[in-house]
Structure formats: structure tokens, C-alpha cells
Amino acid sequence: MNRRTLLASAAALALPALLPGARARAQTPATPVPAGETLKVGFIYVGPVGDGGWSYQHDLGRKAIEAEYGDRVETTFIESVPEGADAERALTQLALAGNTLIFATSFGFMDAVINTARKFPNVKFEHATGYKRADNVATYDARFYEGRAVIGTIAGRMTKSNKIGYIGSFPIPEVIQGINSSFIHARKVNPGVEMKVVWAYSWFDPAKEADAAAALIAEGVDVILQHTDSTAPLAKAQEAGVIGFGQASDMANFKPTPRVSSIIDNWAPYYIRRVGQILDGTWTSHGVWLGIGDGEVEIGEITEAVPAEVKAEAEALKAQIASKAYHPFTGPLKKQDGSDWLAEGAVATDEELSSMNFFVEGIAAQIPS
């Protein structure tokens, strides 16, 4: 599947329900779970729960559901589920086991969710980072690019070689947003910064991620950012004496350096809220895209390896984004080919961001087709 083309082609149709203020689909009211009955909730993860990153963080959200609702819920998960036909089999297994709410936590599970939802209309499905919905399928996403702006600022201040590396998973809009946001904000504080990009073509593959980090370090990079799920890039950074950032979870085992801060995906409040809506009968299909101000994207502790003035600058930017006083994609900005994109003071729309398929001016790397 060409993931980037698929997402870009459908984004314009999907966006109205993806925006934070979008209305839920018109549906028949749900039925509350009777007192004394246990709600069964299932999860599928693209990686192992011990990945220390993306799947680990979703599993913390699952555990938060258990802590919140106790014996009113019973949760289960299937880990390391490949995207594709295997995902449909795993979702079907969970539905047949009596789970009436199922969370599918990777973009590539999208078609499997839709196909399985058609077969089980009485089961509610939630799909992370996707855009296809139905009466019994909701989507939820995080504005990761907001966190990238903050760590891009730290990266731009901390680099000594003026070369920052970025390990991308797949060339889809979500990842391209992050590369652009990191570069824009690194260059704002350090106009001499270069951004080098290596694609892993995997969400979770420690060996590939380590190789990507090594390739970047060989090119003179001394700060590494990643949109992949394992701690392998940080381990490689530690060996080489360069710095990096936690991705999806805090990756605190690498503090105070090479991990000098992190982007944390805090799914727990969303999971608790949606399970509560199943229990009280108010669940409806929707699409949401939440960020720093909503508490879904967090910036992990900025360690003492970062100078105090840089920490203060990053925290001030985080506060501006959280309050919506500043948007990370604010003009003037040009596309990589030098053509105008955003005029002075103009802000990118969610539609533009959700179909982003270009780098901004100044990035020399190319987006694979």
C-alpha cells in the first residue's frame, strides 16, 4: 500500500469529522451497560508492549482504564500485530471473544477496522490516527507536530555541527508534518541548521532504527529525532555521544542524556472518557485531533543537559502552543521548491496539514514516491 498517496487522496473527504469541533455522526442512542455487567475492551498493537515507545504508551492507557473502572471493565490486548490481513484476524478474534469496544492503535489497521466493523455492527471500534469512520467506528489522533516544534527548538539550540537527523517511519502526512515542524523551529533559533532524513519504512524495527541512526551519525549529525517506536536510536546516540529525544513515551532510562526531553502521547484521558461513554450509553462515532493544550501531547522533562535559557525558551513555546497563541505552521513559509505556501501571519489549515506531501524550503532531502 502506498500509505502517503492513500491518506492524501482521502483526507479532503475525511477532514470535517476529524476536526476537534466536528459533530458526531447521527446515530441511534447507545444502551448503557447494566449495573453488574462487565464491559470487555480489546486492544491491538503494532509493536510489543515492551517497545518503550508507541505501543507501550497505548498499553499504559489500557491500564489506566482498569485503574479507573475496576471490575466494571475487563481489558485484553494482542501485541505485535502486522498491518494488513493479520490485523483483521486479530480484530475478529477480539470481537468473537465478546469485546464490545475495540481500540486499534496504528494507522495501517484502518481498512481492517472498517472491514471488521461491517461484520460486527454491535461492536464499537476506535482507530488511532486514521480517517475512515462508520456508525460504529470512531477515529482519534494527536497533533504530534506541536511537540516537534518544541523539541526542534531544543535541537536547533543544542547542535554543534548544525546537522540534525530525523528518522522517519513512512512518508505519510503525519510524519512529514513532524519533519517540517522540527526543521522550521530548529532553523528559527539557528539559521545554519541542516536537516538530514533517513526512512526506516517501519514503525517498529530496532535493527533498522539503529542502522538509520548510525547512518545519520556518520553524516555528522549530533542531534537525532525520530518518528519510530523503539529506543534503538537513543541507544545508538548514547554510543556515539550525541543527543536525542524520547518518542511517544518518555524513554526515561536514557536520561539525562542522550535523551534530553521527549514527546509523550498521553492516551489515558481519551481512553477513560470513551470507555465511560460506552458504560453510560453516550458513545457516538466521531473524529478528534488533540494536542498540547488538550493534554494529549506532552513534553517530557527537559533535563539538566539542556542549558537553562534553552529550557526556558522551549517551555515558553510549549505554553504559547497550548494556549493557541501560536501555531507551529505560521507564515511566511515556502515549499521546498521555493513556491509560496503561507503568507506572513497566515496559519495552515487542518485540511492542508492532513494532506501534507511536501517539505518546506531549506530541507534538502526528498520525499520518496
Side-chain angles (χ1 to χ4, degrees), residues 210-222:
D211 287 346
L216 289 168
I217 292 165
E219 290 193 63
V221 161
D222 62 356

Side-chain angles (χ1 to χ4, degrees), residues 49-179:
V49 294
D51 68 0
W54 177 264
S55 294
Y56 168 79
Q57 203 67 20
H58 282 283
D59 201 54
L60 289 183
R62 180 188 65 81
K63 292 175 179 177
I65 292 170
E66 294 181 335
E68 179 74 16
Y69 295 109
D71 58 10
R72 293 201 67 194
V73 300
E74 176 186 329
T75 73
T76 189
F77 66 88
I78 303 175
E79 60 186 325
S80 300
V81 177
E83 297 175 334
D86 286 331
E88 192 164 339
R89 285 191 287 271
L91 291 165
T92 299
Q93 177 182 334
L94 289 173
L96 290 173
N99 293 282
T100 54
L101 176 62
I102 299 174
F103 292 94
T105 63
S106 188
F107 175 81
F109 293 154
M110 181 161 53
D111 288 340
V113 168
I114 294 298
N115 293 341
T116 310
R118 290 193 189 104
K119 295 184 290 185
F120 297 94
N122 294 324
V123 176
K124 309 299 185 187
F125 294 83
E126 298 260 356
H127 180 219
T129 75
Y131 56 81
K132 293 184 179 180
R133 282 171 291 284
D135 285 351
N136 63 330
V137 179
T139 60
Y140 58 106
D141 204 350
R143 295 180 184 270
F144 307 115
Y145 67 84
E146 294 183 346
R148 308 273 176 213
V150 178
I151 67 171
T153 298
I154 298 172
R157 290 294 191 195
M158 295 287 286
T159 180
K160 296 180 176 64
S161 67
N162 279 351
K163 293 179 180 179
I164 295 172
Y166 201 110
I167 303 171
S169 47
F170 295 93
I172 61 173
E174 173 191 311
V175 179
I176 295 168
Q177 292 163 21
I179 294 169

Side-chain angles (χ1 to χ4, degrees), residues 147-159 164 181-190 225 245 310 313-315 317:
R148 308 273 176 213
V150 178
I151 67 171
T153 298
I154 298 172
R157 290 294 191 195
M158 295 287 286
T159 180
I164 295 172
S181 181
S182 300
F183 176 74
I184 289 165
H185 293 85
R187 186 161 274 198
K188 275 189 175 185
V189 299
N190 183 350
L225 289 74
F245 298 85
V310 176
E313 185 176 23
E315 289 178 339
L317 178 61

